Amino acid sequence: MRDQNCLFCKIIAGEIPSSKVYEDEYVYAFRDINPQAPVHILVVPKEHIASVAQLEESNSLYAAKCLEAVAKIAKAEGLEKGYRVISNCGEDAGQTVFHLHFHILGGVKMAEKMV
Ligand code: AMP
Ligand code: ZN
């Protein structure tokens, strides 16, 4: 199901242009418009799920498929030296788009480490 007002649902539907890097039955992935690393890709489920907080047994396959896609994309992008996978969940974490997404950040040795 899509959310008519959701930016990422519109990107998945092709109504807003994006730089696609990967797509399958469950997942769409595209380059972040404001990259924070040489490689910065967003991996999103094709189902509108607002965030990690909305995951449950009935929709968790989408999360698994997103993480499978992360592994494939990272290999295709040549990130064998490592990368970071981030999902901001909710306001305090700084989530700005309320459609579940996993950031892939890589292509540089990261200095800052929060955890
Ligand atoms: P978050 O702050 O974790 O919710 O991440 C949302 C991300 O979406 C940010 O990194 C934005 O730069 C990115 N973003 C917003 N609009 C677009 C867009 N039209 N195309 C690609 N990335 C976008
Ligand atoms: Zn959505």
Side-chain angles (χ1 to χ4, degrees), residues 10-84:
K10 288 178 185 165
I11 285 178
I12 293 162
E15 294 163 13
I16 290 176
S18 65
S19 174
K20 180 172 99 171
V21 296
Y22 176 82
E23 182 173 17
D24 66 28
E25 188 186 344
Y26 298 94
V27 174
Y28 189 84
F30 53 101
R31 296 196 191 274
D32 197 292
I33 206 166
N34 182 23
Q36 303 299 307
V39 176
H40 187 174
I41 291 166
L42 300 173
V43 180
V44 312
K46 284 189 172 176
E47 174 83 6
H48 181 83
I49 300 166
S51 74
V52 167
Q54 272 67 49
L55 287 171
E56 53 181 30
E57 203 172 355
S58 67
N59 61 13
S60 61
L61 179 62
Y62 282 94
K65 292 292 182 185
C66 281
L67 292 174
E68 271 182 46
V70 166
K72 276 186 204 157
I73 293 163
K75 281 192 193 90
E77 293 284 323
L79 301 179
E80 57 281 320
K81 284 178 80 182
Y83 53 93
R84 202 166 277 168

